[in-house]
Amino acid sequence: MPTYSASEISSLGGDRETALIAGDGGLQFVNKLRFSITGIGAGLAWLAFGLSCLRWPDIGDWPRTEAVAYTAFAIAGGIAIATTAQAALGKFGDGVQRRAPWLFALGVFLTLWELATAKFGWLPLPFFPPPQSIVEVYTDDLPKLLDSAFASVKLQLGGYFIGAVVGFLTGVSIGWSRLAGYWVHPILRFIGPLPATAWLPIAFFTFPSAWSASTFLIALATGFPVTVLTWSGVASVSTAYYDVARTLGAKPSFLVTKVAIPAALPHVFVGLFMGLGASFAVLVVAEMIGVKAGLGFYLQWAQGWASYNNMYAALIVMSLLCSGAITLLFKVRDRLLVWQKGVVKW
Amino acid sequence: MLDRPTTIAPDILEVSDVGKIYQASNGPVEALRSVNLTIRKGEFVCLLGASGCGKSTLLRIVAGFETATMGSVTMYGFPVDKPGPDRGMVFQDYALFPWLTVRDNIGFGPKHRRLATKLVSELTDKFMAMVGLTAFADRYPHQLSGGMKQRVAIARVLSNDTDVLLMDEPFGALDALTRSKLQEELVEIWRTTGLTVIFVTHSVEEAVMLADRVIVMSAGPGRIDCEIEVDLPRPRDVASPEFNALRREVTQKLTSHIAGSRGKAADS
């Protein structure tokens, strides 16, 4: 397993003479060679994928087989160049080098998939479409897919934002004020654990549009974890911080904004993270049932036509969007919680 | 001379007949009984006693975190009923705001008194330099050592233009070397700023090292046992015969009443 990162290797290279004296030169050479071998292996795997597309005839009618094969050759060539000229390519070369084992695995997987579906039919069609038919969706049905993705993002963003803001404010008030806690806590206990999707029939009936109903449900799914974790964050702030702030002359309003909220922020982000996951589930279900747009709707529609390649294509887009949203949330968290760096590991 | 002028300073803080009773689950607990104490301006006073003698409770009442069940605390003649910037507190566990840098921790008080931004940064820079942390201005608390954290906590109180510095076993969690270094620095800060310091400790050596006056407290219920003036010149030498004589005297006072109370408990 390559536990050395490429940057460590190059920094070792700077001390080449001392390394040689210490007798590590050989080890270093072996490490470099190992990287090259993985890189070349990755290139070969993609080459194999391309060849597997061309070597045997398709058992079905897929117009993109050749295009996929040539793209695979191009990627194989790219990996080969990046491996041999790693030093000259700088950061990009290092990146390819680091990902070489994954690129290799991906190439092997695609080759096997190609053989098992398009060439020999080991897996039943149409439930297991070959790679080229999924690529075909991206080339031929792109506008519709993009429209759906855009509709999903819009719906999700609106609901998530409302839910996060309302949840945060509720959490702070019940964490801070005994009166708010008295009234809101039982409601939260009663309604909170209910899955937001259980509201679907009522929401679609009572709200003027499917869109507003889904926004409400997504906000509900987001709001519950955000509320609970903000509340627990505010409630568990060490009283020493309040004591100190009060000896420094802080007024109650300052205690909330300058002590309670910053101290609770790590908890709030756990809530935002959990809310994000919950809201994705509601989004897709809402789109499958009521909303006439979005990726969930696209999935449902594709299933109706038994075009499983469209479903896989939509699933891939969905997964990219969801993991992108989580990455974005983590980036924001790392910026806001820079004071925790090295303390929290998740 | 390193010592302050010994002219009679005005009284700044008056603790009169203070008692404190907590309502615990197994009945009331008397933590303090009829404590009387007068602190003069610019004085360095140590409250010395074993754990459970109510020294920290007394400090928290003076700080305004807790209210006395009986008696009163007045500062400049005005009753103390809540925490205020005139009495700054330094805790054993530092209680720095982990989300603020060294600079922002020290500037917290001035900023929240709504001083002009320029003045805030001047005050911050001044006290950051006083505790020798200018180079660490942009570090977060978790990146600092214990000694550095406590320096920040002291500077945070000082920047707030406090009159009385209340310290609750502030160096208790530090290693011996860091502790003696910080003791030196504290005396130096006290000397240059003219602060009044009330310092809670259970270490005889620390009390004799730092204080003008050592208040020996005893437990069950917490009360003042006796007062000992320390008139050794500063800087004080732990190895000198005078220091050791005084340390022995204070230790005797402290242990005699512990033995006494134990005897009493055995009698009853």
Side-chain angles (χ1 to χ4, degrees):
Chain A
M1 207 186 87
T3 45
Y4 294 87
S5 77
S7 61
E8 276 175 295
I9 295 294
S10 61
S11 74
L12 270 175
D15 279 335
R16 177 147 268 240
E17 274 136 329
T18 45
L20 276 174
I21 290 164
D24 284 345
L27 178 71
Q28 199 189 334
F29 179 71
V30 169
N31 265 328
K32 257 215 150 85
L33 193 67
R34 194 167 63 187
F35 270 119
S36 302
I37 289 172
T38 346
I40 290 163
L44 286 177
W46 281 83
L47 189 68
F49 173 46
L51 290 174
S52 73
C53 290
L54 298 180
R55 171 67 181 75
W56 294 278
D58 284 344
I59 57 169
D61 177 26
W62 296 296
R64 301 287 165 196
T65 308
E66 273 184 37
V68 167
Y70 293 130
T71 312
F73 291 147
I75 292 172
I79 295 171
I81 291 169
T83 305
T84 46
Q86 189 204 346
L89 286 171
K91 249 191 167 154
F92 178 75
D94 291 345
V96 171
Q97 221 41 263
R98 228 182 4 260
R99 292 174 180 83
W102 262 111
L103 287 169
F104 173 76
L106 209 59
V108 171
F109 172 71
L110 286 171
T111 310
L112 291 177
W113 181 11
E114 177 69 28
L115 295 177
T117 54
K119 304 304 178 188
F120 300 111
W122 297 328
L123 294 170
L125 285 167
F127 308 105
F128 294 96
Q132 53 264 48
S133 80
I134 291 172
V135 169
E136 191 187 326
V137 176
Y138 292 126
T139 53
D140 295 13
D141 202 23
L142 191 63
K144 194 157 189 280
L145 202 54
L146 278 183
D147 276 351
S148 303
F150 183 69
S152 285
V153 169
K154 210 170 74 176
L155 185 58
Q156 163 75 16
L157 271 185
Y160 184 71
F161 182 75
I162 295 170
V165 170
V166 172
F168 176 74
L169 294 177
T170 317
V172 170
S173 10
I174 59 180
W176 188 256
S177 144
R178 192 164 296 191
L179 185 72
Y182 177 81
W183 286 106
V184 180
H185 186 202
I187 300 176
L188 211 60
R189 284 289 284 273
F190 187 66
I191 293 177
L194 214 58
T197 40
W199 292 87
L200 265 169
I202 301 172
F204 278 112
F205 182 69
T206 43
F207 277 81
S209 65
W211 188 82
S212 57
S214 319
T215 304
F216 167 75
L217 291 176
I218 292 167
L220 200 66
T222 311
F224 178 59
V226 174
T227 306
V228 171
L229 277 142
T230 305
W231 164 37
S232 94
V234 170
S236 63
V237 175
S238 160
T239 50
Y241 295 149
Y242 294 131
D243 283 350
V244 168
R246 287 193 302 159
T247 60
L248 296 176
K251 292 173 212 42
S253 59
F254 271 148
L255 292 184
V256 179
T257 56
K258 300 292 177 181
V259 179
I261 291 176
L265 221 47
H267 279 82
V268 175
F269 269 96
V270 178
L272 286 173
F273 173 69
M274 288 166 63
L276 201 56
S279 65
F280 287 148
V282 176
L283 172 77
V284 174
V285 173
E287 283 177 345
M288 281 179 157
I289 290 180
V291 187
K292 295 274 171 275
L295 287 169
F297 171 70
Y298 188 95
L299 274 178
Q300 193 76 350
W301 168 84
Q303 198 210 4
W305 289 95
S307 51
Y308 287 88
N309 53 338
N310 289 63
M311 290 182 67
Y312 283 104
L315 274 177
I316 292 170
V317 172
M318 208 182 264
S319 127
L320 287 177
L321 284 176
C322 293
S323 68
I326 284 172
T327 309
L328 196 69
L329 183 72
F330 278 22
K331 282 253 153 66
V332 172
R333 182 203 62 175
D334 289 344
R335 265 195 94 90
L336 276 176
L337 299 185
V338 64
W339 55 274
Q340 283 206 311
K341 219 170 194 170
V343 180
V344 172
K345 308 234 189 302
W346 63 274
Chain B
M1 273 300 280
L2 280 168
D3 276 300
R4 293 266 194 77
T6 47
T7 48
I8 301 296
D11 295 347
I12 186 167
L13 199 92
E14 179 90 39
V15 177
S16 17
D17 210 26
V18 160
K20 175 77 185 176
I21 295 170
Y22 286 108
Q23 294 303 327
S25 53
N26 52 352
V29 174
E30 193 172 16
L32 287 173
R33 182 185 288 175
S34 52
V35 171
N36 286 289
L37 183 63
T38 305
I39 311 280
R40 288 186 295 276
K41 194 166 170 49
E43 209 179 6
F44 199 128
V45 175
C46 277
L47 302 180
L48 175 70
S51 37
C53 72
K55 55 194 193 304
S56 288
T57 306
L58 180 58
L59 198 73
R60 288 183 65 83
I61 291 172
V62 170
F65 297 142
E66 286 171 37
T67 49
T69 320
M70 286 149 298
S72 68
V73 177
T74 56
M75 181 147 168
Y76 294 121
F78 295 102
V80 165
D81 55 358
K82 60 173 191 290
D86 53 343
R87 288 153 286 127
M89 183 89 157
V90 173
F91 298 86
Q92 180 175 357
D93 57 0
Y94 326 117
L96 297 180
F97 301 126
W99 57 91
L100 296 180
T101 58
V102 168
R103 183 196 305 279
D104 293 336
N105 261 293
I106 296 175
F108 187 92
K111 202 168 158 193
H112 288 193
R113 277 187 290 148
R114 296 172 193 271
L115 300 181
T117 318
K118 197 164 159 267
L119 191 58
V120 171
S121 70
E122 274 175 21
L123 278 169
T124 309
D125 288 344
K126 179 181 159 195
F127 289 103
M128 211 150 54
M130 186 181 275
V131 294
L133 286 176
T134 309
F136 300 92
D138 296 317
R139 295 275 189 101
Y140 286 96
H142 77 87
Q143 299 169 309
L144 303 176
S145 69
M148 288 156 104
K149 284 183 196 168
Q150 203 53 292
R151 287 193 182 94
V152 176
I154 293 169
R156 178 170 66 176
V157 170
L158 294 179
S159 72
N160 212 32
D161 199 19
T162 195
D163 293 327
V164 181
L165 178 56
L166 308 173
M167 306 185 90
D168 191 0
E169 301 191 26
F171 306 146
L174 304 176
D175 64 90
L177 275 175
T178 312
R179 188 185 313 142
S180 75
K181 183 93 180 45
L182 275 173
Q183 286 170 352
E184 259 171 55
E185 288 180 19
L186 177 63
V187 169
E188 184 60 25
I189 288 168
W190 165 73
R191 218 174 47 75
T192 49
T193 54
L195 270 174
T196 309
V197 181
I198 306 179
F199 190 107
V200 164
T201 181
H202 57 247
S203 156
V204 175
E205 181 176 309
E206 187 167 57
V208 176
M209 183 73 196
L210 295 172
D212 290 327
R213 190 150 59 105
V214 178
I215 314 286
V216 180
M217 295 185 69
S218 59
R223 61 192 182 278
I224 292 177
D225 203 58
C226 63
E227 290 188 17
I228 296 157
E229 298 277 341
V230 182
D231 50 5
L232 300 174
R234 297 174 203 271
R236 290 173 184 163
D237 178 8
V238 202
S240 74
E242 296 85 357
F243 189 96
N244 275 305
L246 210 62
R247 176 161 62 180
R248 204 168 303 125
E249 186 192 335
V250 175
T251 309
Q252 264 166 13
K253 293 253 156 92
L254 198 61
T255 46
S256 70
H257 78 71
I258 289 176
S261 68
R262 206 181 281 147
K264 246 184 282 169
D267 290 341
S268 60

